[in-house]
Structure formats: C-alpha cells, structure tokens
Amino acid sequence: MNEITSHKDLKVWQEAMNFVVVIYEISESFPSKEVYGLTSQLRRASVSIPSNIAEGAGRRGNKEFIRFLYIALGSLSEVETQLEIAYRLKYLNEADTITQRIYFIRKMLSNLIKSLH
C-alpha cells in the first residue's frame, strides 16, 4: 500500500461508496414499516463496507488492514443476505444488477487481500 496516499485512492473503496448510494436509493422504496428493520440494517451494513476499508487503510501494517478488509467482506455478505430477504418479500425487483455489483466488490476485496499477504 506504499503508493497509495489515502483510502480514497483505492478503487474498491470508491466502488463501495457508490454501492452505498445504490443501497440507499433502493431501500428508499421499502415500506415505511421497515424503517427500523430491514431498511436500517441494510443501510448500516452497506456503510460498514467502505468504512472498514478506510479504517483498515489507516492502520499500521498489512495484517491490520487485511483484518478490516475481511470485516468489509463480512458486511458485504450481510448486505447480500438482506437484499435476498428484500427480494423474497417483493420489496426489490433488480436483484441481477445488484448481484453483479456485489460480485465485483467481493472480487476486488479478495484481490486486495491476496496482494497484501
């Protein structure tokens, strides 16, 4: 990570930030009864992805960075599960494009982890 001056330089962080915006837009249409349930949980989990990337990048050493990248991967899986729940509850129709974004971010995180080992 020597050539990177900020977490904002990381493509995976940039993609994760864009993903948060998509999640907020999608969850906006969820029923109001879900404001404190699925909507809130989905938004918090999505925000956790770029947040953990940023926190890890700000730590000293690759070992700590990798630990936070794994936490980001966990949050991504949490979002994926919550989106599946939303889809099954018929709150969501666009599962395919979202699935592609999840796959892309997961691949980027995995590749970054491998490069830091």
Side-chain angles (χ1 to χ4, degrees):
M1 217 178 102
N2 297 340
E3 68 279 353
I4 296 171
T5 58
S6 168
H7 61 274
K8 292 180 180 182
D9 295 330
L10 293 168
K11 181 76 172 151
V12 67
W13 179 84
Q14 295 166 10
E15 288 296 325
M17 289 294 288
N18 292 336
F19 185 66
V20 171
V21 173
V22 170
I23 293 301
Y24 267 73
E25 289 170 351
I26 287 169
S27 61
E28 189 68 33
S29 67
F30 287 5
S32 59
K33 66 182 179 184
E34 290 293 350
V35 167
Y36 300 108
L38 190 57
T39 302
S40 175
Q41 203 159 348
L42 182 58
R43 288 176 174 187
R44 278 184 283 134
S46 70
V47 167
S48 176
I49 301 164
S51 298
N52 277 292
I53 295 167
E55 186 170 354
R59 298 291 179 125
R60 294 183 189 263
N62 288 353
K63 187 175 179 181
E64 282 192 87
F65 190 17
I66 290 168
R67 185 170 67 85
F68 280 93
L69 293 174
Y70 276 119
I71 294 169
L73 271 173
S75 294
L76 185 62
S77 292
E78 186 179 349
V79 169
E80 184 177 29
T81 298
Q82 293 162 355
L83 287 170
E84 179 64 26
I85 291 166
Y87 178 75
R88 290 179 183 204
L89 291 171
K90 301 192 183 350
Y91 298 161
L92 190 58
N93 298 328
E94 317 166 7
D96 291 353
T97 55
I98 299 164
T99 301
Q100 290 173 354
R101 283 178 179 262
I102 291 169
Y103 175 78
F104 184 60
I105 294 169
R106 180 175 287 125
K107 186 172 180 139
M108 291 179 76
L109 282 168
S110 297
N111 286 340
L112 181 54
I113 290 167
K114 286 177 191 171
S115 77
L116 293 170
H117 273 292

mmCIF file with all atom_site columns, all heavy atoms in Angstrom, residues 80-102:
data_model
loop_
_atom_site.group_PDB
_atom_site.id
_atom_site.type_symbol
_atom_site.label_atom_id
_atom_site.label_alt_id
_atom_site.label_comp_id
_atom_site.label_asym_id
_atom_site.label_entity_id
_atom_site.label_seq_id
_atom_site.pdbx_PDB_ins_code
_atom_site.Cartn_x
_atom_site.Cartn_y
_atom_site.Cartn_z
_atom_site.occupancy
_atom_site.B_iso_or_equiv
_atom_site.pdbx_formal_charge
_atom_site.auth_seq_id
_atom_site.auth_comp_id
_atom_site.auth_asym_id
_atom_site.auth_atom_id
_atom_site.pdbx_PDB_model_num
ATOM 1   N N   . GLU A 1 80  ? -25.745 -8.746  1.050   1.00 0.00 ? 80  GLU A N   1
ATOM 2   C CA  . GLU A 1 80  ? -26.253 -9.694  0.059   1.00 0.00 ? 80  GLU A CA  1
ATOM 3   C C   . GLU A 1 80  ? -27.437 -10.485 0.624   1.00 0.00 ? 80  GLU A C   1
ATOM 4   O O   . GLU A 1 80  ? -28.452 -10.668 -0.044  1.00 0.00 ? 80  GLU A O   1
ATOM 5   C CB  . GLU A 1 80  ? -25.135 -10.632 -0.363  1.00 0.00 ? 80  GLU A CB  1
ATOM 6   C CG  . GLU A 1 80  ? -25.518 -11.594 -1.461  1.00 0.00 ? 80  GLU A CG  1
ATOM 7   C CD  . GLU A 1 80  ? -24.346 -12.453 -1.900  1.00 0.00 ? 80  GLU A CD  1
ATOM 8   O OE1 . GLU A 1 80  ? -23.443 -12.731 -1.076  1.00 0.00 ? 80  GLU A OE1 1
ATOM 9   O OE2 . GLU A 1 80  ? -24.334 -12.843 -3.077  1.00 0.00 ? 80  GLU A OE2 1
ATOM 10  N N   . THR A 1 81  ? -27.324 -10.924 1.858   1.00 0.00 ? 81  THR A N   1
ATOM 11  C CA  . THR A 1 81  ? -28.401 -11.671 2.507   1.00 0.00 ? 81  THR A CA  1
ATOM 12  C C   . THR A 1 81  ? -29.632 -10.790 2.702   1.00 0.00 ? 81  THR A C   1
ATOM 13  O O   . THR A 1 81  ? -30.761 -11.216 2.432   1.00 0.00 ? 81  THR A O   1
ATOM 14  C CB  . THR A 1 81  ? -27.921 -12.218 3.868   1.00 0.00 ? 81  THR A CB  1
ATOM 15  O OG1 . THR A 1 81  ? -26.841 -13.122 3.622   1.00 0.00 ? 81  THR A OG1 1
ATOM 16  C CG2 . THR A 1 81  ? -29.032 -12.931 4.610   1.00 0.00 ? 81  THR A CG2 1
ATOM 17  N N   . GLN A 1 82  ? -29.423 -9.577  3.151   1.00 0.00 ? 82  GLN A N   1
ATOM 18  C CA  . GLN A 1 82  ? -30.545 -8.663  3.371   1.00 0.00 ? 82  GLN A CA  1
ATOM 19  C C   . GLN A 1 82  ? -31.244 -8.295  2.070   1.00 0.00 ? 82  GLN A C   1
ATOM 20  O O   . GLN A 1 82  ? -32.468 -8.155  2.027   1.00 0.00 ? 82  GLN A O   1
ATOM 21  C CB  . GLN A 1 82  ? -30.051 -7.427  4.120   1.00 0.00 ? 82  GLN A CB  1
ATOM 22  C CG  . GLN A 1 82  ? -29.627 -7.764  5.528   1.00 0.00 ? 82  GLN A CG  1
ATOM 23  C CD  . GLN A 1 82  ? -28.741 -6.719  6.153   1.00 0.00 ? 82  GLN A CD  1
ATOM 24  O OE1 . GLN A 1 82  ? -28.337 -5.740  5.531   1.00 0.00 ? 82  GLN A OE1 1
ATOM 25  N NE2 . GLN A 1 82  ? -28.413 -6.935  7.426   1.00 0.00 ? 82  GLN A NE2 1
ATOM 26  N N   . LEU A 1 83  ? -30.487 -8.167  0.989   1.00 0.00 ? 83  LEU A N   1
ATOM 27  C CA  . LEU A 1 83  ? -31.093 -7.908  -0.320  1.00 0.00 ? 83  LEU A CA  1
ATOM 28  C C   . LEU A 1 83  ? -31.919 -9.105  -0.785  1.00 0.00 ? 83  LEU A C   1
ATOM 29  O O   . LEU A 1 83  ? -32.981 -8.945  -1.390  1.00 0.00 ? 83  LEU A O   1
ATOM 30  C CB  . LEU A 1 83  ? -30.025 -7.557  -1.354  1.00 0.00 ? 83  LEU A CB  1
ATOM 31  C CG  . LEU A 1 83  ? -29.401 -6.177  -1.205  1.00 0.00 ? 83  LEU A CG  1
ATOM 32  C CD1 . LEU A 1 83  ? -28.202 -6.038  -2.121  1.00 0.00 ? 83  LEU A CD1 1
ATOM 33  C CD2 . LEU A 1 83  ? -30.421 -5.082  -1.478  1.00 0.00 ? 83  LEU A CD2 1
ATOM 34  N N   . GLU A 1 84  ? -31.432 -10.299 -0.495  1.00 0.00 ? 84  GLU A N   1
ATOM 35  C CA  . GLU A 1 84  ? -32.197 -11.512 -0.829  1.00 0.00 ? 84  GLU A CA  1
ATOM 36  C C   . GLU A 1 84  ? -33.504 -11.552 -0.044  1.00 0.00 ? 84  GLU A C   1
ATOM 37  O O   . GLU A 1 84  ? -34.548 -11.916 -0.584  1.00 0.00 ? 84  GLU A O   1
ATOM 38  C CB  . GLU A 1 84  ? -31.357 -12.765 -0.544  1.00 0.00 ? 84  GLU A CB  1
ATOM 39  C CG  . GLU A 1 84  ? -32.061 -14.068 -0.827  1.00 0.00 ? 84  GLU A CG  1
ATOM 40  C CD  . GLU A 1 84  ? -32.422 -14.308 -2.293  1.00 0.00 ? 84  GLU A CD  1
ATOM 41  O OE1 . GLU A 1 84  ? -31.752 -13.754 -3.184  1.00 0.00 ? 84  GLU A OE1 1
ATOM 42  O OE2 . GLU A 1 84  ? -33.388 -15.054 -2.556  1.00 0.00 ? 84  GLU A OE2 1
ATOM 43  N N   . ILE A 1 85  ? -33.451 -11.156 1.217   1.00 0.00 ? 85  ILE A N   1
ATOM 44  C CA  . ILE A 1 85  ? -34.671 -11.087 2.025   1.00 0.00 ? 85  ILE A CA  1
ATOM 45  C C   . ILE A 1 85  ? -35.635 -10.071 1.421   1.00 0.00 ? 85  ILE A C   1
ATOM 46  O O   . ILE A 1 85  ? -36.823 -10.344 1.254   1.00 0.00 ? 85  ILE A O   1
ATOM 47  C CB  . ILE A 1 85  ? -34.332 -10.731 3.486   1.00 0.00 ? 85  ILE A CB  1
ATOM 48  C CG1 . ILE A 1 85  ? -33.597 -11.894 4.156   1.00 0.00 ? 85  ILE A CG1 1
ATOM 49  C CG2 . ILE A 1 85  ? -35.589 -10.366 4.272   1.00 0.00 ? 85  ILE A CG2 1
ATOM 50  C CD1 . ILE A 1 85  ? -32.931 -11.537 5.470   1.00 0.00 ? 85  ILE A CD1 1
ATOM 51  N N   . ALA A 1 86  ? -35.119 -8.893  1.054   1.00 0.00 ? 86  ALA A N   1
ATOM 52  C CA  . ALA A 1 86  ? -35.947 -7.855  0.437   1.00 0.00 ? 86  ALA A CA  1
ATOM 53  C C   . ALA A 1 86  ? -36.565 -8.345  -0.867  1.00 0.00 ? 86  ALA A C   1
ATOM 54  O O   . ALA A 1 86  ? -37.740 -8.073  -1.157  1.00 0.00 ? 86  ALA A O   1
ATOM 55  C CB  . ALA A 1 86  ? -35.121 -6.597  0.194   1.00 0.00 ? 86  ALA A CB  1
ATOM 56  N N   . TYR A 1 87  ? -35.786 -9.076  -1.639  1.00 0.00 ? 87  TYR A N   1
ATOM 57  C CA  . TYR A 1 87  ? -36.281 -9.638  -2.898  1.00 0.00 ? 87  TYR A CA  1
ATOM 58  C C   . TYR A 1 87  ? -37.416 -10.637 -2.625  1.00 0.00 ? 87  TYR A C   1
ATOM 59  O O   . TYR A 1 87  ? -38.462 -10.594 -3.269  1.00 0.00 ? 87  TYR A O   1
ATOM 60  C CB  . TYR A 1 87  ? -35.134 -10.292 -3.662  1.00 0.00 ? 87  TYR A CB  1
ATOM 61  C CG  . TYR A 1 87  ? -35.556 -10.931 -4.955  1.00 0.00 ? 87  TYR A CG  1
ATOM 62  C CD1 . TYR A 1 87  ? -35.858 -10.152 -6.069  1.00 0.00 ? 87  TYR A CD1 1
ATOM 63  C CD2 . TYR A 1 87  ? -35.669 -12.307 -5.065  1.00 0.00 ? 87  TYR A CD2 1
ATOM 64  C CE1 . TYR A 1 87  ? -36.256 -10.730 -7.259  1.00 0.00 ? 87  TYR A CE1 1
ATOM 65  C CE2 . TYR A 1 87  ? -36.066 -12.897 -6.250  1.00 0.00 ? 87  TYR A CE2 1
ATOM 66  C CZ  . TYR A 1 87  ? -36.363 -12.102 -7.345  1.00 0.00 ? 87  TYR A CZ  1
ATOM 67  O OH  . TYR A 1 87  ? -36.763 -12.688 -8.516  1.00 0.00 ? 87  TYR A OH  1
ATOM 68  N N   . ARG A 1 88  ? -37.204 -11.514 -1.646  1.00 0.00 ? 88  ARG A N   1
ATOM 69  C CA  . ARG A 1 88  ? -38.226 -12.514 -1.312  1.00 0.00 ? 88  ARG A CA  1
ATOM 70  C C   . ARG A 1 88  ? -39.492 -11.882 -0.746  1.00 0.00 ? 88  ARG A C   1
ATOM 71  O O   . ARG A 1 88  ? -40.587 -12.430 -0.908  1.00 0.00 ? 88  ARG A O   1
ATOM 72  C CB  . ARG A 1 88  ? -37.664 -13.538 -0.334  1.00 0.00 ? 88  ARG A CB  1
ATOM 73  C CG  . ARG A 1 88  ? -36.624 -14.444 -0.970  1.00 0.00 ? 88  ARG A CG  1
ATOM 74  C CD  . ARG A 1 88  ? -36.068 -15.423 0.019   1.00 0.00 ? 88  ARG A CD  1
ATOM 75  N NE  . ARG A 1 88  ? -35.024 -16.229 -0.596  1.00 0.00 ? 88  ARG A NE  1
ATOM 76  C CZ  . ARG A 1 88  ? -34.678 -17.428 -0.160  1.00 0.00 ? 88  ARG A CZ  1
ATOM 77  N NH1 . ARG A 1 88  ? -35.273 -17.959 0.894   1.00 0.00 ? 88  ARG A NH1 1
ATOM 78  N NH2 . ARG A 1 88  ? -33.723 -18.097 -0.766  1.00 0.00 ? 88  ARG A NH2 1
ATOM 79  N N   . LEU A 1 89  ? -39.340 -10.741 -0.096  1.00 0.00 ? 89  LEU A N   1
ATOM 80  C CA  . LEU A 1 89  ? -40.501 -10.014 0.419   1.00 0.00 ? 89  LEU A CA  1
ATOM 81  C C   . LEU A 1 89  ? -41.134 -9.127  -0.661  1.00 0.00 ? 89  LEU A C   1
ATOM 82  O O   . LEU A 1 89  ? -42.078 -8.401  -0.387  1.00 0.00 ? 89  LEU A O   1
ATOM 83  C CB  . LEU A 1 89  ? -40.088 -9.159  1.619   1.00 0.00 ? 89  LEU A CB  1
ATOM 84  C CG  . LEU A 1 89  ? -39.700 -9.926  2.879   1.00 0.00 ? 89  LEU A CG  1
ATOM 85  C CD1 . LEU A 1 89  ? -39.109 -8.988  3.926   1.00 0.00 ? 89  LEU A CD1 1
ATOM 86  C CD2 . LEU A 1 89  ? -40.898 -10.681 3.444   1.00 0.00 ? 89  LEU A CD2 1
ATOM 87  N N   . LYS A 1 90  ? -40.561 -9.182  -1.856  1.00 0.00 ? 90  LYS A N   1
ATOM 88  C CA  . LYS A 1 90  ? -41.038 -8.421  -3.014  1.00 0.00 ? 90  LYS A CA  1
ATOM 89  C C   . LYS A 1 90  ? -40.890 -6.905  -2.839  1.00 0.00 ? 90  LYS A C   1
ATOM 90  O O   . LYS A 1 90  ? -41.646 -6.122  -3.381  1.00 0.00 ? 90  LYS A O   1
ATOM 91  C CB  . LYS A 1 90  ? -42.473 -8.804  -3.364  1.00 0.00 ? 90  LYS A CB  1
ATOM 92  C CG  . LYS A 1 90  ? -42.621 -10.275 -3.685  1.00 0.00 ? 90  LYS A CG  1
ATOM 93  C CD  . LYS A 1 90  ? -43.952 -10.590 -4.294  1.00 0.00 ? 90  LYS A CD  1
ATOM 94  C CE  . LYS A 1 90  ? -44.203 -12.041 -4.586  1.00 0.00 ? 90  LYS A CE  1
ATOM 95  N NZ  . LYS A 1 90  ? -43.208 -13.023 -4.505  1.00 0.00 ? 90  LYS A NZ  1
ATOM 96  N N   . TYR A 1 91  ? -39.860 -6.504  -2.078  1.00 0.00 ? 91  TYR A N   1
ATOM 97  C CA  . TYR A 1 91  ? -39.531 -5.088  -1.949  1.00 0.00 ? 91  TYR A CA  1
ATOM 98  C C   . TYR A 1 91  ? -38.568 -4.672  -3.046  1.00 0.00 ? 91  TYR A C   1
ATOM 99  O O   . TYR A 1 91  ? -38.301 -3.489  -3.225  1.00 0.00 ? 91  TYR A O   1
ATOM 100 C CB  . TYR A 1 91  ? -38.831 -4.794  -0.615  1.00 0.00 ? 91  TYR A CB  1
ATOM 101 C CG  . TYR A 1 91  ? -39.626 -5.087  0.625   1.00 0.00 ? 91  TYR A CG  1
ATOM 102 C CD1 . TYR A 1 91  ? -38.975 -5.229  1.843   1.00 0.00 ? 91  TYR A CD1 1
ATOM 103 C CD2 . TYR A 1 91  ? -41.011 -5.204  0.617   1.00 0.00 ? 91  TYR A CD2 1
ATOM 104 C CE1 . TYR A 1 91  ? -39.675 -5.484  3.007   1.00 0.00 ? 91  TYR A CE1 1
ATOM 105 C CE2 . TYR A 1 91  ? -41.716 -5.474  1.775   1.00 0.00 ? 91  TYR A CE2 1
ATOM 106 C CZ  . TYR A 1 91  ? -41.036 -5.615  2.971   1.00 0.00 ? 91  TYR A CZ  1
ATOM 107 O OH  . TYR A 1 91  ? -41.726 -5.874  4.125   1.00 0.00 ? 91  TYR A OH  1
ATOM 108 N N   . LEU A 1 92  ? -38.050 -5.648  -3.772  1.00 0.00 ? 92  LEU A N   1
ATOM 109 C CA  . LEU A 1 92  ? -36.956 -5.425  -4.699  1.00 0.00 ? 92  LEU A CA  1
ATOM 110 C C   . LEU A 1 92  ? -37.191 -6.216  -5.974  1.00 0.00 ? 92  LEU A C   1
ATOM 111 O O   . LEU A 1 92  ? -37.608 -7.365  -5.916  1.00 0.00 ? 92  LEU A O   1
ATOM 112 C CB  . LEU A 1 92  ? -35.683 -5.911  -4.001  1.00 0.00 ? 92  LEU A CB  1
ATOM 113 C CG  . LEU A 1 92  ? -34.331 -5.637  -4.581  1.00 0.00 ? 92  LEU A CG  1
ATOM 114 C CD1 . LEU A 1 92  ? -34.099 -4.152  -4.750  1.00 0.00 ? 92  LEU A CD1 1
ATOM 115 C CD2 . LEU A 1 92  ? -33.283 -6.218  -3.658  1.00 0.00 ? 92  LEU A CD2 1
ATOM 116 N N   . ASN A 1 93  ? -36.893 -5.608  -7.112  1.00 0.00 ? 93  ASN A N   1
ATOM 117 C CA  . ASN A 1 93  ? -37.027 -6.283  -8.401  1.00 0.00 ? 93  ASN A CA  1
ATOM 118 C C   . ASN A 1 93  ? -35.704 -6.453  -9.132  1.00 0.00 ? 93  ASN A C   1
ATOM 119 O O   . ASN A 1 93  ? -35.562 -7.318  -9.963  1.00 0.00 ? 93  ASN A O   1
ATOM 120 C CB  . ASN A 1 93  ? -37.979 -5.507  -9.327  1.00 0.00 ? 93  ASN A CB  1
ATOM 121 C CG  . ASN A 1 93  ? -39.362 -5.424  -8.757  1.00 0.00 ? 93  ASN A CG  1
ATOM 122 O OD1 . ASN A 1 93  ? -39.817 -6.326  -8.071  1.00 0.00 ? 93  ASN A OD1 1
ATOM 123 N ND2 . ASN A 1 93  ? -40.044 -4.322  -9.019  1.00 0.00 ? 93  ASN A ND2 1
ATOM 124 N N   . GLU A 1 94  ? -34.729 -5.629  -8.835  1.00 0.00 ? 94  GLU A N   1
ATOM 125 C CA  . GLU A 1 94  ? -33.498 -5.526  -9.625  1.00 0.00 ? 94  GLU A CA  1
ATOM 126 C C   . GLU A 1 94  ? -32.350 -6.354  -9.070  1.00 0.00 ? 94  GLU A C   1
ATOM 127 O O   . GLU A 1 94  ? -31.228 -5.909  -9.058  1.00 0.00 ? 94  GLU A O   1
ATOM 128 C CB  . GLU A 1 94  ? -33.054 -4.075  -9.706  1.00 0.00 ? 94  GLU A CB  1
ATOM 129 C CG  . GLU A 1 94  ? -34.149 -3.107  -9.954  1.00 0.00 ? 94  GLU A CG  1
ATOM 130 C CD  . GLU A 1 94  ? -33.691 -1.681  -9.689  1.00 0.00 ? 94  GLU A CD  1
ATOM 131 O OE1 . GLU A 1 94  ? -32.507 -1.446  -9.442  1.00 0.00 ? 94  GLU A OE1 1
ATOM 132 O OE2 . GLU A 1 94  ? -34.538 -0.801  -9.751  1.00 0.00 ? 94  GLU A OE2 1
ATOM 133 N N   . ALA A 1 95  ? -32.605 -7.543  -8.646  1.00 0.00 ? 95  ALA A N   1
ATOM 134 C CA  . ALA A 1 95  ? -31.579 -8.347  -7.966  1.00 0.00 ? 95  ALA A CA  1
ATOM 135 C C   . ALA A 1 95  ? -30.346 -8.601  -8.834  1.00 0.00 ? 95  ALA A C   1
ATOM 136 O O   . ALA A 1 95  ? -29.245 -8.678  -8.320  1.00 0.00 ? 95  ALA A O   1
ATOM 137 C CB  . ALA A 1 95  ? -32.177 -9.663  -7.504  1.00 0.00 ? 95  ALA A CB  1
ATOM 138 N N   . ASP A 1 96  ? -30.506 -8.721  -10.143 1.00 0.00 ? 96  ASP A N   1
ATOM 139 C CA  . ASP A 1 96  ? -29.380 -9.084  -11.004 1.00 0.00 ? 96  ASP A CA  1
ATOM 140 C C   . ASP A 1 96  ? -28.284 -8.027  -11.049 1.00 0.00 ? 96  ASP A C   1
ATOM 141 O O   . ASP A 1 96  ? -27.115 -8.343  -10.901 1.00 0.00 ? 96  ASP A O   1
ATOM 142 C CB  . ASP A 1 96  ? -29.864 -9.386  -12.415 1.00 0.00 ? 96  ASP A CB  1
ATOM 143 C CG  . ASP A 1 96  ? -30.684 -10.669 -12.474 1.00 0.00 ? 96  ASP A CG  1
ATOM 144 O OD1 . ASP A 1 96  ? -30.747 -11.370 -11.443 1.00 0.00 ? 96  ASP A OD1 1
ATOM 145 O OD2 . ASP A 1 96  ? -31.239 -10.958 -13.532 1.00 0.00 ? 96  ASP A OD2 1
ATOM 146 N N   . THR A 1 97  ? -28.633 -6.771  -11.234 1.00 0.00 ? 97  THR A N   1
ATOM 147 C CA  . THR A 1 97  ? -27.604 -5.740  -11.298 1.00 0.00 ? 97  THR A CA  1
ATOM 148 C C   . THR A 1 97  ? -26.934 -5.563  -9.946  1.00 0.00 ? 97  THR A C   1
ATOM 149 O O   . THR A 1 97  ? -25.743 -5.296  -9.867  1.00 0.00 ? 97  THR A O   1
ATOM 150 C CB  . THR A 1 97  ? -28.177 -4.390  -11.772 1.00 0.00 ? 97  THR A CB  1
ATOM 151 O OG1 . THR A 1 97  ? -29.261 -4.028  -10.920 1.00 0.00 ? 97  THR A OG1 1
ATOM 152 C CG2 . THR A 1 97  ? -28.654 -4.467  -13.206 1.00 0.00 ? 97  THR A CG2 1
ATOM 153 N N   . ILE A 1 98  ? -27.690 -5.708  -8.895  1.00 0.00 ? 98  ILE A N   1
ATOM 154 C CA  . ILE A 1 98  ? -27.120 -5.586  -7.555  1.00 0.00 ? 98  ILE A CA  1
ATOM 155 C C   . ILE A 1 98  ? -26.181 -6.756  -7.292  1.00 0.00 ? 98  ILE A C   1
ATOM 156 O O   . ILE A 1 98  ? -25.105 -6.585  -6.728  1.00 0.00 ? 98  ILE A O   1
ATOM 157 C CB  . ILE A 1 98  ? -28.234 -5.516  -6.499  1.00 0.00 ? 98  ILE A CB  1
ATOM 158 C CG1 . ILE A 1 98  ? -29.103 -4.292  -6.756  1.00 0.00 ? 98  ILE A CG1 1
ATOM 159 C CG2 . ILE A 1 98  ? -27.655 -5.480  -5.097  1.00 0.00 ? 98  ILE A CG2 1
ATOM 160 C CD1 . ILE A 1 98  ? -30.414 -4.304  -6.043  1.00 0.00 ? 98  ILE A CD1 1
ATOM 161 N N   . THR A 1 99  ? -26.576 -7.941  -7.712  1.00 0.00 ? 99  THR A N   1
ATOM 162 C CA  . THR A 1 99  ? -25.744 -9.123  -7.537  1.00 0.00 ? 99  THR A CA  1
ATOM 163 C C   . THR A 1 99  ? -24.413 -8.947  -8.256  1.00 0.00 ? 99  THR A C   1
ATOM 164 O O   . THR A 1 99  ? -23.365 -9.323  -7.733  1.00 0.00 ? 99  THR A O   1
ATOM 165 C CB  . THR A 1 99  ? -26.481 -10.384 -8.047  1.00 0.00 ? 99  THR A CB  1
ATOM 166 O OG1 . THR A 1 99  ? -27.694 -10.516 -7.312  1.00 0.00 ? 99  THR A OG1 1
ATOM 167 C CG2 . THR A 1 99  ? -25.642 -11.625 -7.879  1.00 0.00 ? 99  THR A CG2 1
ATOM 168 N N   . GLN A 1 100 ? -24.439 -8.364  -9.445  1.00 0.00 ? 100 GLN A N   1
ATOM 169 C CA  . GLN A 1 100 ? -23.204 -8.125  -10.184 1.00 0.00 ? 100 GLN A CA  1
ATOM 170 C C   . GLN A 1 100 ? -22.291 -7.147  -9.454  1.00 0.00 ? 100 GLN A C   1
ATOM 171 O O   . GLN A 1 100 ? -21.076 -7.332  -9.413  1.00 0.00 ? 100 GLN A O   1
ATOM 172 C CB  . GLN A 1 100 ? -23.519 -7.595  -11.584 1.00 0.00 ? 100 GLN A CB  1
ATOM 173 C CG  . GLN A 1 100 ? -24.133 -8.648  -12.480 1.00 0.00 ? 100 GLN A CG  1
ATOM 174 C CD  . GLN A 1 100 ? -24.608 -8.077  -13.803 1.00 0.00 ? 100 GLN A CD  1
ATOM 175 O OE1 . GLN A 1 100 ? -24.581 -6.876  -14.029 1.00 0.00 ? 100 GLN A OE1 1
ATOM 176 N NE2 . GLN A 1 100 ? -25.064 -8.948  -14.687 1.00 0.00 ? 100 GLN A NE2 1
ATOM 177 N N   . ARG A 1 101 ? -22.876 -6.126  -8.855  1.00 0.00 ? 101 ARG A N   1
ATOM 178 C CA  . ARG A 1 101 ? -22.084 -5.167  -8.076  1.00 0.00 ? 101 ARG A CA  1
ATOM 179 C C   . ARG A 1 101 ? -21.446 -5.845  -6.868  1.00 0.00 ? 101 ARG A C   1
ATOM 180 O O   . ARG A 1 101 ? -20.290 -5.597  -6.545  1.00 0.00 ? 101 ARG A O   1
ATOM 181 C CB  . ARG A 1 101 ? -22.954 -4.007  -7.591  1.00 0.00 ? 101 ARG A CB  1
ATOM 182 C CG  . ARG A 1 101 ? -23.262 -2.993  -8.638  1.00 0.00 ? 101 ARG A CG  1
ATOM 183 C CD  . ARG A 1 101 ? -24.169 -1.921  -8.032  1.00 0.00 ? 101 ARG A CD  1
ATOM 184 N NE  . ARG A 1 101 ? -24.479 -0.903  -8.988  1.00 0.00 ? 101 ARG A NE  1
ATOM 185 C CZ  . ARG A 1 101 ? -23.853 0.269   -9.072  1.00 0.00 ? 101 ARG A CZ  1
ATOM 186 N NH1 . ARG A 1 101 ? -22.879 0.553   -8.249  1.00 0.00 ? 101 ARG A NH1 1
ATOM 187 N NH2 . ARG A 1 101 ? -24.203 1.150   -9.971  1.00 0.00 ? 101 ARG A NH2 1
ATOM 188 N N   . ILE A 1 102 ? -22.221 -6.686  -6.190  1.00 0.00 ? 102 ILE A N   1
ATOM 189 C CA  . ILE A 1 102 ? -21.708 -7.411  -5.021  1.00 0.00 ? 102 ILE A CA  1
ATOM 190 C C   . ILE A 1 102 ? -20.547 -8.304  -5.439  1.00 0.00 ? 102 ILE A C   1
ATOM 191 O O   . ILE A 1 102 ? -19.500 -8.326  -4.787  1.00 0.00 ? 102 ILE A O   1
ATOM 192 C CB  . ILE A 1 102 ? -22.826 -8.218  -4.340  1.00 0.00 ? 102 ILE A CB  1
ATOM 193 C CG1 . ILE A 1 102 ? -23.821 -7.268  -3.675  1.00 0.00 ? 102 ILE A CG1 1
ATOM 194 C CG2 . ILE A 1 102 ? -22.255 -9.213  -3.322  1.00 0.00 ? 102 ILE A CG2 1
ATOM 195 C CD1 . ILE A 1 102 ? -25.097 -7.922  -3.210  1.00 0.00 ? 102 ILE A CD1 1
#
